[in-house]
Amino acid sequence: MSGALESYVNRPVSVITADGRNFIGTLKGFDQTINLILDETHERVFSASQGIEQVVLGLHIVRGDNICVVGEIDEDIDQRLDLHNIKAEPLNAVPHGAH
C-alpha cells in the first residue's frame, strides 16, 4: 500500500476510517504502519436531515490501524459540490474481530 500512497503525497485525498469518519486533506507523509499526516484537513460530517458539515482540523494525523480507504480527490469536481444540500446517512463503524 505504501507504494500507492507515495503517488498521493502533496495531493488532496479522502480518508475513510474504520469508525466511519471522512477526512479530506493534503497528504504530507506516512510511515511504515500507514499512519497518515494530512494538512489543511477537515472532517466531513454526514447527516440525513442536514447538509454535510465541514469541521476544520488543520494539521492532522490518522492512525494507520484505523484507515479503511484512501483515495485521491478531484479538486475541480469537489469544489463544484454543494455540500450544504447533500444529505446522507453517516457511515457505520466497521466491526473488528470477534465479539
Side-chain angles (χ1 to χ4, degrees), residues 10-91:
N10 293 319
R11 304 192 114 163
V13 295
S14 173
V15 178
I16 298 175
T17 62
D19 58 357
R21 297 172 79 183
N22 183 7
F23 297 104
I24 308 295
T26 302
L27 180 63
K28 299 311 276 184
F30 59 92
D31 64 14
Q32 68 276 10
T33 59
I34 315 299
N35 293 315
L36 303 182
I37 301 170
L38 302 177
D39 196 14
E40 300 176 8
T41 309
H42 58 272
E43 180 180 0
R44 289 188 177 164
V45 180
F46 293 85
S47 167
S49 60
Q50 302 174 19
I52 298 171
E53 178 186 1
Q54 296 202 92
V55 179
V56 176
L57 302 172
L59 188 63
H60 192 71
I61 295 175
V62 183
R63 288 179 49 104
D65 61 356
N66 193 32
I67 294 172
C68 287
V69 178
V70 178
E72 187 174 3
I73 295 281
D74 183 320
E75 289 183 284
D76 292 332
I77 293 173
D78 194 60
Q79 289 175 358
R80 290 192 306 241
L81 295 175
D82 183 5
L83 298 177
H84 297 292
N85 287 315
I86 296 174
K87 296 177 177 71
E89 291 289 335
L91 294 174

